[in-house]
Amino acid sequence: MPLDTTRLTDAQWIDGVVAQMLALDEGLGDDDVREFVTDLAARPSWRSMPPEEAASKAVHDLEPPGGD
């Protein structure tokens, strides 16, 4: 059963995505990643993803997030 990401607070989701992104790419800086992920959290298509999926997608698409 997929994770219901709506049960996570925004802070929990952001923390999860940041942790996963830093684990996937050790060259990333925590502050920059946190700012990037905070922006993602405001976008429904990103926020609906489990943190692990969002982190993987973000690391592979390190473009600034586009509009929803």
Side-chain angles (χ1 to χ4, degrees), residues 13-15 17-19 21-22 28-43 58 62-65:
W13 188 87
I14 291 166
D15 288 346
V17 175
V18 168
M21 286 182 71
L22 294 175
L28 297 173
D30 183 66
D31 290 339
D32 291 336
V33 170
R34 188 163 296 280
E35 183 177 335
F36 178 78
V37 173
T38 298
D39 188 37
L40 294 180
R43 301 172 187 280
L62 275 179
E63 300 283 324

Side-chain angles (χ1 to χ4, degrees), residues 3 5 8 13 17 44-55 57:
L3 176 66
T5 62
L8 297 174
W13 188 87
V17 175
S45 64
W46 282 89
R47 183 61 176 83
S48 65
M49 291 182 212
E52 297 79 13
E53 182 182 338
K57 181 172 174 51

